Amino acid sequence: MQTSQHGVPRESTLDKLAHNDAAERFRGRTGPGRLTEAPAAERRGDAPELPTVHLARARLMEQLDAAVSHPVTLLCAPTGWGKTTLVASWIAAGRAPGRAAYVRFEANCGAGAWRQLTHALTAAGIAVDAATYVWSNAHHDDRAVVVLDDLHHVTNHTVLRRLERLVTRLGDQISFLILARTEPPLSLYRWRVRGQLNELRTDHLAFTQDEVAGLADGYGVRLAQHFRYALWHVTEGWPAAVAVTLSAMVGRHEPERLVTDIILGEAGLNEEVGLSEYVRREILQHLDPEIREIMLRTSILETVCPGLVEALTGSRSGARLLAQMSRANSLASFYGGSHSWYRYRRLLRAMLRAELRTTLSFAEERALHRAAAGWYAANGLPSDALTHAIAGGDWVSTERLFLQYWPELAGSGPRALTTRDGPQPPHDIAERPMLAFALALSCRDTGDMVGMSAFIRLGERGLGEAPAALEAEVLAAMRLAEAAAVEHPERAYETAARLLERTEDAAGEHVYADSADAARAVAHLTFAGAAVAGGRLDEADTHLELGADLARKSGFNLLTVQANRLWALTHLSRGRLSAAAACARRVLDGCRDAGIAESRNISYARLVLATVCRERGQLDEARFHIEESVNTNAAPDPNSWVSGSIALALLLFDRGDHAGTLEALEPLMDTRVGVMPRTADVTARALHAELCLLDGRMDQAHAVIAEALRHWPGSDEPRLALGRLHLAEGRPAATVQIAERILDNGPGSLVTAVSATVLLAQALRQLGDLAGASEQLDQALRIAGPEGIRRPFEGHAGWIAEVLASPPVLTPPRQRDPEPADPSTEPPAAAHVTPAASPAAPDGLAAWSAAPAGESMPDPLTEKEAQVLLYLRSMLSVAEIAAVLSVSTNTVKTHVRHVYRKLGVSRRRDAVRRARELSLI
């Protein structure tokens, strides 16, 4: 018997799992570190008892409630994904309709499986005629549920055919829940086509962040939000991994250390955690030997494809085996791209690497890396080729790859690779500056900025005091890469200018013809990035056009990815949501083609998509992109970490979770104004002010806004927050002045224009000017419509309904003489400038024109239909319109259908357009 660090008796992880087929079958704890034996009821075939520490997963129980309307529900996932616990808790909660029979099949059960099934049916009081498969003792409308657990153990063809006949005959009365690690050899395709099959797989069964927090509370483990998030992300919601890790944290003074160890890849070697033991015993031992060997050898890769399987193992069955792993048990998931990439789950890959080190010698592992480097180089993927050449100690290939691809390697931005224990650099590294620069890029990609700087200095010393023109150009590119890696816009701008000068000096000396264009592309893209960070979007456009064109000419794909990322940011800054989303998706597609699963470019593309979804009111999809933006393999980037924290805080704020918003913002609030990048700083301060406003701390809200405006004068977000603050204080005239000033100065973003116009309409309504409020609201809707901007209208259904119900006015609003704003918090108005917005902005900001006269409707709208039509021009959903009108959503949907039919349209936007043409609104 072992003891913990606190002297408490501790059983080994093998003892803990002795009675379990998977961690999902943990029995209840009777004390720290002890698990009770499986009860006799489970051995009889009844539903297994629930462990003391388990989570009632309401969202999945609701899905099971709906699933039993189908004859068959398949829960297919690898071991440890909570299949048994979910169904057992669902039955224990009394949610199964009618009687419930539970049977768990054992390995090699053969023909005895049918006998197990009939015994379980009899025990549940379900009498099935053996010849006709009729439920003989069923009454009218009786329902039942039969759970077939571990059906993958059933391989007898006779039993499987009889089971299919049973499902076909009784599917109208009995719902069959099939729990399996792989798809059973049944006629699933037939049930899918007929709509008789419902499926829950790993994506459904994975823990959400809230469920990780709930299970941690059940174990009595207190973790800060960012550690809970890190645990969820690195385990990808794998319930068994979460449960094993949390159980290992019980009684520890610093449970966060285990999360850090997992992220660093060290927990797999920590037997007190038991993850490696669990993976070895519950997963690897049950794999086909060929698949197990392929998984071990390819675990050195971030992503794997059939070509790499052949290069590393010699097997020509890579495509079939990878597809089998993906389809059968989700050990690998299809990633896509031109090479048909797959990726292992993060934690599984870390455990496989730990296992690989115990089975292969150091020389054999280096040989695998060299084989991978050769494949990557032959297929035009220099970043991964360089990584594996270094890991394999192939210094000659490393130098050759760097000399051929240095512009792309230096200018494509950091990857997010796992820190690995590679060979030591050669003894003559000080005399090989190009090799030192290659090692610097390797350090950058693993988040080791100190190592990067050290190798750059070493390479610079190796070049001597008077390097050749080409060598000076490479050095300038490395200095640029260093500045870009730490996201320092001013330094990056200076180093980009130096790179352009050195490129001109080295004209004609390049070994490869495309190197000059690529180097210029890197410089211009860096200029563009610095301009975007400083809010100089016109300057960014100029450099982006040059940089993107040069990147295309050079043929370096990762530079094109970099250009698309910057285009996405510039479009987002202007509120062009559709264009921003399209560029962000091109970033993801470009990285997917290269087999890159985690990088800074991917993180920013995901954050762009999250912002687009948030502005459109798609909060669940926004949450998904925020979660996918996190890199676990490397140290967090200084700015993308800040951006991710702010994106999460904004999302929680939109969901009404103000406590969560404050917790997400808390790490940023201690920083001085101006330390963070401009956009992030302004957004964080404005959100902080909004939280103060909601808490009734008006003075603190004023102080936060004043500080932000002093450091970032002319920023729109703090001024919008100030306008809302004045509105809450009962000073709508001051709000009108702020909103009109923002609009007169030409907001750079369509989103800002919509927000300011909605705020202006709200203030005018408080002043009693319903006609002016209606006109401003109509303008806001016109601006928001093409891009689907919805967020500024959220939470305002009440007063928007009141304004929309007022008669429309086509004349400009009267001039107002509002009270002056607080001079201590609002800077003087800037001179009027032309808005630097997209081509859609002038149309959206222009006043509406009168509808053509003389047109009429052959079938006029009823009073209720006309009322619904008024709300269709708003951003209110059908449910919100129903709430305003105090009717059901089905009633509103019926009125909408009638409106569409009478107007001769099929979409909401077309209905509003046609109604304006007919002067109906």
Side-chain angles (χ1 to χ4, degrees):
M1 180 73 68
Q2 302 174 359
T3 59
S4 70
Q5 59 182 340
H6 308 294
V8 179
R10 183 191 300 275
E11 294 189 44
S12 71
T13 306
L14 284 174
D15 294 332
K16 292 181 182 180
L17 299 177
H19 306 294
N20 298 303
D21 180 54
E24 63 201 31
R25 295 170 186 162
F26 275 13
R27 299 276 70 83
R29 287 180 175 270
T30 58
R34 294 190 61 84
L35 301 171
T36 62
E37 184 180 357
E42 183 180 342
R43 296 195 295 271
R44 292 197 308 267
D46 295 338
E49 291 187 5
L50 292 170
T52 303
V53 182
H54 77 281
L55 190 67
R57 307 176 71 182
R59 63 180 181 89
L60 292 180
M61 289 192 179
E62 291 173 0
Q63 292 188 46
L64 285 181
D65 292 341
V68 293
S69 62
H70 296 77
V72 183
T73 298
L74 174 65
L75 285 78
C76 186
T79 178
W81 282 85
K83 304 181 294 293
T84 299
T85 301
L86 170 63
V87 175
S89 62
W90 179 73
I91 293 175
R95 304 176 76 140
R99 303 170 186 178
Y102 198 107
V103 56
R104 173 176 296 164
F105 300 104
E106 302 296 334
N108 303 315
C109 54
W114 185 255
R115 187 165 51 254
Q116 282 184 263
L117 174 58
T118 56
H119 287 170
L121 293 174
T122 302
I126 303 172
V128 177
D129 187 274
T132 61
Y133 298 98
V134 172
W135 185 3
S136 57
N137 64 337
H139 296 88
H140 183 64
D141 293 334
D142 269 3
R143 295 285 302 169
V145 172
V146 176
V147 181
L148 308 175
D149 199 352
D150 286 344
L151 189 63
H152 55 273
H153 287 319
V154 179
T155 57
N156 185 283
H157 292 289
T158 302
V159 173
L160 292 170
R161 297 291 80 78
R162 296 184 73 179
L163 179 59
E164 281 192 6
R165 288 196 292 271
L166 183 68
V167 172
T168 302
R169 191 61 184 267
L170 296 179
D172 293 337
Q173 296 174 284
I174 298 178
S175 180
F176 292 85
L177 302 184
I178 298 175
L179 283 58
R181 297 184 186 180
T182 61
E183 284 193 358
L186 300 173
S187 301
L188 299 179
Y189 68 93
R190 188 178 302 161
W191 295 333
R192 287 192 185 104
V193 171
R194 295 174 179 174
Q196 297 175 330
L197 177 65
N198 190 71
E199 299 181 66
L200 295 178
R201 294 185 178 266
T202 52
D203 289 343
H204 305 93
L205 297 172
F207 274 165
T208 64
Q209 293 185 51
D210 293 336
E211 288 170 341
V212 171
L215 191 62
D217 292 340
Y219 277 102
V221 176
R222 297 180 61 84
L223 289 174
Q225 183 188 55
H226 57 284
F227 280 108
R228 294 197 306 267
Y229 182 82
L231 176 61
W232 170 85
H233 193 268
V234 74
T235 59
E236 297 178 87
W238 185 5
V242 175
V244 170
T245 305
L246 289 174
S247 66
M249 292 180 180
V250 175
R252 289 177 177 265
H253 291 310
E254 296 180 341
E256 297 87 356
R257 291 284 299 274
L258 285 183
V259 180
T260 304
D261 288 346
I262 292 174
I263 293 174
L264 295 176
E266 297 172 0
L269 305 177
N270 188 339
E271 291 303 327
E272 290 190 355
V273 179
L275 284 174
S276 60
E277 180 186 21
Y278 174 78
V279 170
R280 188 184 308 115
R281 182 165 179 171
E282 296 295 334
I283 296 180
L284 297 182
Q285 281 186 1
H286 300 284
L287 289 177
D288 178 271
E290 184 180 12
I291 291 179
R292 183 178 184 273
E293 184 69 13
I294 287 176
M295 291 182 67
L296 285 174
R297 288 180 173 269
T298 57
S299 64
I300 65 171
L301 309 170
E302 182 185 17
T303 51
V304 60
C305 67
L308 277 165
V309 169
E310 182 176 353
L312 271 63
T313 68
S315 172
R316 295 181 178 273
S317 304
R320 176 181 59 81
L321 294 173
L322 288 171
Q324 179 181 335
M325 284 189 282
S326 175
R327 182 177 60 255
N329 49 29
S330 296
L331 294 176
S333 58
F334 184 65
Y335 187 55
S338 57
H339 292 280
S340 297
W341 297 100
Y342 291 79
R343 58 174 292 270
Y344 300 127
R345 296 191 175 276
R346 297 183 184 94
L347 197 56
L348 176 61
R349 180 174 169 237
M351 301 301 109
L352 288 170
R353 286 200 309 272
E355 183 74 8
L356 181 69
R357 297 188 189 105
T358 65
T359 58
L360 291 185
S361 66
F362 183 60
E364 289 175 314
E365 187 175 351
R366 289 177 63 178
L368 286 178
H369 284 292
R370 293 188 178 198
W375 186 92
Y376 282 120
N379 286 272
L381 301 172
S383 180
D384 285 291
L386 186 75
T387 297
H388 288 283
I390 292 173
D394 188 351
W395 308 122
V396 174
S397 295
T398 299
E399 286 179 304
R400 177 179 54 80
L401 286 166
F402 179 80
L403 284 171
Q404 183 174 356
Y405 295 104
W406 64 265
E408 182 178 20
L409 293 169
S412 57
R415 298 279 296 275
L417 301 178
T418 306
T419 304
R420 63 177 84 241
D421 298 328
Q424 293 295 321
H427 64 278
D428 59 346
I429 179 69
E431 302 169 3
R432 302 166 72 174
M434 297 302 148
L435 178 58
F437 292 151
L439 292 172
L441 294 178
S442 179
C443 291
R444 176 199 65 180
D445 290 342
T446 56
D448 181 8
M449 300 312 302
V450 174
M452 181 185 189
S453 298
F455 277 116
I456 290 177
R457 289 196 300 271
L458 183 63
E460 186 176 11
R461 287 197 296 270
L463 292 177
E465 297 182 358
L470 183 58
E471 294 174 335
E473 182 187 16
V474 174
L475 176 60
M478 292 304 301
R479 290 298 185 192
L480 183 150
E482 183 183 22
V486 298
E487 297 192 314
H488 195 298
E490 291 78 12
R491 279 180 55 195
Y493 197 94
E494 294 173 0
T495 54
R498 191 175 303 118
L499 175 59
L500 272 184
E501 294 175 2
R502 298 292 181 265
T503 302
E504 297 305 321
D505 294 341
E509 297 186 17
H510 294 96
V511 178
Y512 299 97
D514 50 13
S515 296
D517 283 342
R520 295 188 186 97
V522 171
H524 284 292
L525 292 178
T526 304
F527 285 142
V532 170
R536 305 185 303 275
L537 299 184
D538 292 337
E539 179 185 345
D541 285 343
T542 301
H543 289 293
L544 256 177
E545 290 175 1
L546 288 170
D549 185 57
L550 289 167
R552 283 191 296 269
K553 288 180 180 178
S554 68
F556 288 133
N557 292 331
L558 293 185
L559 295 184
T560 303
V561 168
Q562 187 85 338
N564 281 322
R565 175 179 74 87
L566 294 170
W567 277 124
L569 292 174
T570 56
H571 287 313
L572 186 67
S573 298
R574 289 194 168 100
R576 302 173 185 169
L577 303 186
S578 298
C583 290
R585 291 191 180 94
R586 283 198 288 270
V587 171
L588 299 180
D589 290 342
C591 291
R592 191 176 292 114
D593 278 340
I596 298 174
E598 295 193 15
S599 71
R600 182 177 294 179
N601 286 328
I602 292 177
S603 295
Y604 276 114
R606 288 292 185 186
L607 290 176
V608 168
L609 290 172
T611 304
V612 170
C613 292
R614 174 178 168 266
E615 295 296 346
R616 290 176 170 170
Q618 302 162 343
L619 300 187
D620 289 340
E621 193 170 347
R623 180 67 177 258
F624 166 77
H625 288 300
I626 291 174
E627 291 167 349
E628 289 296 308
S629 71
V630 176
N631 293 324
T632 57
N633 290 335
D637 300 322
N639 291 349
S640 63
W641 173 80
V642 169
S643 301
S645 298
I646 293 174
L648 178 60
L650 290 169
L651 179 66
L652 294 173
F653 183 81
D654 288 346
R655 288 187 180 277
D657 183 1
H658 299 153
T661 304
L662 188 60
E663 187 176 1
L665 274 183
E666 190 174 6
L668 308 177
M669 289 299 95
D670 293 334
T671 59
R672 301 190 315 274
V673 177
V675 173
M676 293 185 289
R678 176 191 175 101
T679 302
D681 204 358
V682 166
T683 304
R685 307 297 167 184
L687 184 56
H688 186 198
E690 298 277 8
L691 289 173
C692 294
L693 170 61
L694 291 172
D695 289 343
R697 294 175 284 139
M698 304 298 189
D699 292 341
Q700 186 172 354
H702 274 293
V704 171
I705 294 172
E707 187 179 17
L709 287 174
R710 276 197 298 271
H711 197 88
W712 306 110
S715 298
D716 289 333
E717 288 187 75
R719 292 196 290 173
L720 286 171
L722 181 62
R724 296 186 189 99
L725 181 58
H726 286 325
L727 207 59
E729 293 173 333
R731 301 173 58 195
T735 301
V736 168
Q737 184 185 35
I738 291 174
E740 288 183 338
R741 184 172 297 166
I742 292 174
L743 294 171
D744 289 343
N745 289 343
S749 169
L750 289 176
V751 175
T752 302
V754 173
S755 299
T757 308
V758 170
L759 183 62
L760 178 58
Q762 190 176 7
L764 292 176
R765 171 185 167 273
Q766 285 198 13
L767 289 171
D769 186 359
L770 289 181
S774 178
E775 182 180 7
Q776 295 301 324
L777 189 58
D778 189 75
Q779 290 186 12
L781 293 169
R782 283 173 176 258
I783 304 169
E787 295 292 348
I789 301 170
R790 181 183 175 88
R791 180 187 56 79
F793 302 94
E794 297 283 355
H796 301 302
W799 70 264
I800 286 179
E802 176 188 344
V803 171
L804 289 178
S806 63
V809 178
L810 304 182
T811 57
R814 61 182 175 82
Q815 297 294 323
R816 304 172 190 84
D817 187 18
E819 67 184 36
D822 188 349
S824 64
T825 57
E826 176 68 9
H832 180 80
V833 295
T834 303
S838 68
D843 294 336
L845 293 171
W848 62 339
S849 58
E855 296 190 54
S856 61
M857 293 182 61
D859 187 6
L861 300 177
T862 66
E863 180 181 353
K864 290 294 185 182
E865 291 167 355
Q867 194 173 17
V868 169
L869 177 60
L870 284 176
Y871 295 120
L872 286 181
R873 64 175 174 151
S874 72
M875 302 300 288
L876 300 179
S877 65
V878 170
E880 290 170 330
I881 295 174
V884 171
L885 297 178
S886 300
V887 297
S888 70
T889 55
N890 288 334
T891 300
V892 173
K893 289 178 181 178
T894 300
H895 289 320
V896 169
R897 285 197 299 271
H898 292 167
V899 169
Y900 286 178
R901 176 179 57 80
K902 293 179 179 181
L903 293 178
V905 299
S906 59
R907 295 188 306 172
R908 182 170 181 164
R909 184 184 301 176
D910 294 337
V912 174
R913 176 187 53 77
R914 182 60 179 157
R916 287 197 175 106
E917 292 175 354
L918 296 173
S919 301
L920 297 177
I921 58 176

